[in-house]
Amino acid sequence: MGGGRMYDYKFINARIVDGTGNPWFRGEIGVKDGKIVSVSKNLEGESLHVIDAEHQIVCPGFIDVHTHDDLAVISNPDHEPKLFQGVTSEVLANCGFGCAPVNKLTRKQLLQYISPVLGTYSREWGWKSFKEYVSVLSERSTSMNLVSQVAHGAVRIAVMGFESRPATSQEIEEMKALVEEAMQAGAIGLSLGLLYAPGCYADRAELIALSKVAARYGGILNCHMRAEGDSLLESMNEVFDIAEAAEIPLHISHLKLIGVNNWGKIHHALEWIESKKAQGLDVTCDIYTYTAGSSTLMSILPSWVSEGGVEKALMRLSNPKQRAKIKNDMGRSVKGWDNFVEMLGWDRVVVSAVNGEANTNKAIEGMNFLEIAEHRKQEPVECLMDLLLEEQGCVTMILHQMSEEDVKAVLRSDYSMIGSDGLPLSSEKIHPRHFGTFPRLLSKYVRDEKVMPLQQAIRKMTSFSAQRFGFKRRGIVQEGYFADLVVFNEQEIRDRATFEKPRQYPDGIKYVMVNGRLVARHNHKTAERPGVFVPLQYKCC
Ligand SMILES: [Zn+2]
């Protein structure tokens, strides 16, 4: 016992929700050398610091299983938008978007692909391989703990750019080698973005071959499916088939059902997942606590437009003949393609960030396409095409796409966990989920609308997520576990980020601790950055 002191920190007067799904109990928590060393009714022994929880909730730190913070955690390692929500760990490289591996021949294509989602990083990238990216992450002191997947989009671009065709067997071998290298460097699995170019060009053989590599290392397959609207069930069928063939645990990203005519029907998808589970498929999903999504505006175009990459797409957008074809396609439904505009209407498509070098369109951030059309005195579809041209494709949108009823149904299912899907962009009109997802679950869905009990909500943000994404000995308040902890007031907790003013920190989070060190106190960052990168099969010390 160093210096005779039993604890570095002692939490007293706590109502502990331990993360397992059990209801709260009164107790005290002793923390020493980064770990929880004691949980009991009354702790004997001295502590350097005492945190009086004042009968508020103390629970494990939240785990954001769906982030696009791959560059943001490097450029801003304090990462307040998440930290102040009580997030202590994050999963990187979702939806096929990742910043490694990098092939210098296709680097520009990779940047154009990821920028509307991951944002930009102005400094020199200190990595090419996934392994080098991991060492940059490991060396950078961050506030929170990180795991990373290997992103299919980055792998495919490194091997074959934006080629809009199935991979040859030689190319599949090259991609397998890159996935293998990433798994050896500690990736926790493979993420797919089948909606996006170039992920959408991959065929079954390629996806199974790459998934098998991840499976061999004990990884997970995490899918942003090809379609989430009219063709949701076909898309689910595709990922079930891949996971079964590759014998890999499956995680479905942001399970949702898009399209006004589809609202209220998510139970079909949930029932199917149940029956797949009954047949033995290991499947889980994540969801964010909003009815709106957000992504790159390029993904609103028919997928043929992006063949060959953003550069080629921009050429097509400036060709009158191709523009006419785009206009025609966007006015009808095409089997297997999510035509967001047709399913939702132009008024539900909002520009949230324009990031092109020109920077001439900042004024339209926050407007929907009917408003933009009025502003620019153009038809919405013409605005869309011109805007993408003017901003070199680097535009981000918000889609008001789901029903409240469906969101609640997914939240309630016991195999869903919480992922923000937040986009760390500098715009003043980004989707508020980057600042509010976790408190919003606790305020809107637990306290105000009673969609589920508190302990169930906390399980979806802690132990369940830790178990699924390789955070060993995290996500539970128990002796021997890492001391990632949050103290919050059940009555005061509230997300303050709105669509009008998204860049606002929540109320009600009192303390955030990562690895036994206090990182935030009442929405103030301390100087501590105790986060670690957790490779798959991390050996706990
Ligand atoms: Zn996604």
Side-chain angles (χ1 to χ4, degrees):
M1 248 171 277
R5 211 178 349 98
M6 299 262 307
Y7 310 113
D8 300 331
Y9 281 92
K10 186 153 104 172
F11 291 79
I12 61 168
N13 296 319
R15 283 195 293 139
I16 301 168
V17 178
D18 71 1
T20 61
N22 294 338
W24 68 266
F25 59 94
R26 266 183 224 290
E28 299 186 342
I29 302 168
V31 171
K32 174 90 175 158
D33 298 333
K35 297 275 187 65
I36 295 168
V37 292
S38 190
V39 183
S40 79
K41 207 157 181 209
N42 281 302
L43 289 189
E44 300 282 328
E46 269 178 58
S47 179
L48 183 59
H49 305 280
V50 175
I51 293 180
D52 186 348
E54 298 173 323
H55 309 287
Q56 301 170 106
I57 302 294
V58 182
C59 70
F62 305 141
I63 297 173
D64 190 347
V65 300
H66 195 110
T67 83
H68 293 291
D69 294 327
D70 309 58
L71 293 171
V73 290
I74 297 172
S75 55
N76 174 24
D78 284 335
H79 209 36
E80 296 90 342
K82 293 292 179 61
L83 197 67
F84 291 172
Q85 294 182 57
V87 172
T88 56
S89 296
E90 290 203 330
V91 178
L92 303 175
N94 280 284
C95 305
F97 291 100
C99 51
V102 186
N103 172 348
K104 71 174 190 294
L105 298 175
T106 55
R107 184 173 188 272
K108 191 170 178 210
Q109 289 178 315
L110 177 69
L111 285 178
Q112 287 176 321
Y113 164 67
I114 63 174
S115 301
V117 174
L118 304 188
T120 50
Y121 178 58
S122 47
R123 306 238 300 278
E124 183 74 28
W125 286 16
W127 65 88
K128 284 201 184 69
S129 68
F130 187 88
K131 192 175 173 192
E132 287 163 351
Y133 172 65
V134 163
S135 57
V136 169
L137 282 182
S138 309
E139 282 157 25
R140 193 92 170 106
S141 327
T142 52
S143 289
M144 51 187 73
N145 306 308
L146 305 168
V147 298
S148 183
Q149 304 164 103
V150 56
H152 173 246
V155 168
R156 199 174 209 268
I157 290 170
V159 170
M160 50 192 296
F162 262 79
E163 291 289 336
S164 55
R165 56 169 174 81
T168 63
S169 52
Q170 171 62 28
E171 286 162 340
I172 291 180
E173 287 310 311
E174 288 174 39
M175 286 190 266
K176 278 168 66 181
L178 291 176
V179 172
E180 176 135 30
E181 187 189 292
M183 295 306 296
Q184 284 173 351
I188 50 143
L190 175 68
S191 86
L192 307 181
L194 298 178
L195 165 71
Y196 305 106
C200 63
Y201 308 129
D203 66 4
R204 184 174 184 270
E206 172 182 339
L207 296 172
I208 291 173
L210 302 184
S211 300
K212 277 186 173 167
V213 177
R216 234 180 29 242
Y217 286 85
I220 188 173
L221 178 66
N222 191 345
C223 302
H224 180 150
M225 294 183 291
R226 213 172 276 274
E228 299 173 319
D230 298 343
S231 309
L232 175 69
L233 296 182
E234 286 95 315
S235 301
M236 287 173 67
N237 194 33
E238 177 183 24
V239 296
F240 289 153
D241 168 55
I242 294 164
E244 281 168 344
E247 297 181 52
I248 188 166
L250 174 67
H251 184 83
I252 296 176
S253 291
H254 40 60
L255 181 63
K256 64 168 89 73
L257 184 50
I258 301 173
V260 179
N261 293 330
N262 296 320
W263 287 354
K265 296 181 190 158
I266 193 85
H267 61 95
H268 293 300
L270 295 173
E271 282 155 18
W272 200 14
I273 293 176
E274 295 281 358
S275 79
K276 276 291 171 188
K277 282 188 82 74
Q279 290 164 28
L281 182 68
D282 181 354
V283 52
T284 50
C285 68
D286 62 65
I287 179 171
Y288 41 80
T289 50
Y290 297 83
T291 53
S294 183
S295 193
T296 166
L297 186 63
M298 290 296 290
S299 65
I300 208 171
L301 296 169
S303 56
W304 61 264
V305 182
S306 293
E307 286 176 10
V310 176
E311 221 58 56
K312 291 254 172 70
L314 297 178
M315 280 165 64
R316 293 185 185 107
L317 285 168
S318 51
N319 173 321
K321 246 174 132 175
Q322 308 276 6
R323 281 174 79 101
K325 186 164 166 4
I326 293 170
K327 233 167 132 169
N328 183 48
D329 277 3
M330 293 199 64
R332 64 199 181 104
S333 28
V334 179
K335 188 97 186 113
W337 169 56
D338 272 349
N339 184 347
F340 294 123
V341 170
E342 201 258 343
M343 290 190 293
L344 298 166
W346 286 106
D347 58 325
R348 291 182 182 278
V349 185
V350 176
V351 168
S352 59
V354 285
N355 313 302
E357 279 156 31
N359 246 349
T360 47
N361 289 305
K362 280 277 165 201
I364 63 159
E365 286 181 345
M367 288 188 193
N368 70 44
F369 268 95
L370 291 187
E371 293 163 339
I372 297 169
E374 207 175 294
H375 179 78
R376 294 175 61 126
K377 310 271 178 269
Q378 268 182 313
E379 266 184 78
V381 66
E382 298 287 342
C383 292
L384 168 73
M385 294 189 283
D386 286 353
L387 180 62
L388 285 168
L389 272 175
E390 290 160 23
E391 300 291 337
Q392 303 94 45
C394 203
V395 183
T396 312
M397 64 176 171
I398 290 173
L399 290 172
H400 291 274
Q401 58 191 7
M402 294 164 261
S403 75
E404 194 59 64
E405 181 190 350
D406 285 347
V407 168
K408 286 178 186 169
V410 178
L411 284 174
R412 262 188 222 110
S413 72
D414 71 351
Y415 45 82
S416 69
M417 57 191 83
I418 306 301
S420 72
D421 203 3
L423 306 184
L425 310 173
S426 59
S427 155
E428 290 301 319
K429 296 292 180 185
I430 59 167
H431 192 306
R433 64 193 182 185
H434 193 58
F435 283 73
T437 296
F438 292 82
R440 186 173 166 88
L441 180 69
L442 297 170
S443 55
K444 176 178 164 63
Y445 292 105
V446 173
R447 184 189 58 223
D448 300 344
E449 302 187 19
K450 304 193 170 26
V451 172
M452 72 187 88
L454 178 67
Q455 59 268 23
Q456 193 183 325
I458 289 179
R459 173 188 151 268
K460 286 174 181 291
M461 305 189 286
T462 59
S463 69
F464 190 30
S465 330
Q467 178 198 64
R468 194 59 167 166
F469 285 95
F471 289 102
K472 295 251 167 71
R473 293 198 167 268
R474 296 186 191 274
I476 301 180
V477 178
Q478 200 174 94
E479 286 162 22
Y481 275 62
F482 289 98
D484 296 342
L485 296 165
V486 181
V487 180
F488 70 88
N489 184 303
E490 224 183 328
Q491 301 311 320
E492 287 171 19
I493 195 158
R494 183 172 69 101
D495 56 308
R496 294 175 60 245
T498 60
F499 287 95
E500 293 70 37
K501 279 187 87 178
R503 309 192 76 87
Q504 302 198 83
Y505 299 127
D507 283 337
I509 306 263
K510 307 295 177 178
Y511 299 95
V512 185
M513 175 174 275
V514 173
N515 293 324
R517 284 151 68 183
L518 209 57
V519 285
R521 187 190 289 122
H522 305 286
N523 287 358
H524 289 286
K525 179 75 188 65
T526 69
E528 302 272 21
R529 282 179 186 167
V532 292
F533 178 81
V534 184
L536 187 66
Q537 287 153 358
Y538 182 67
K539 296 260 186 304
C540 296
C541 36

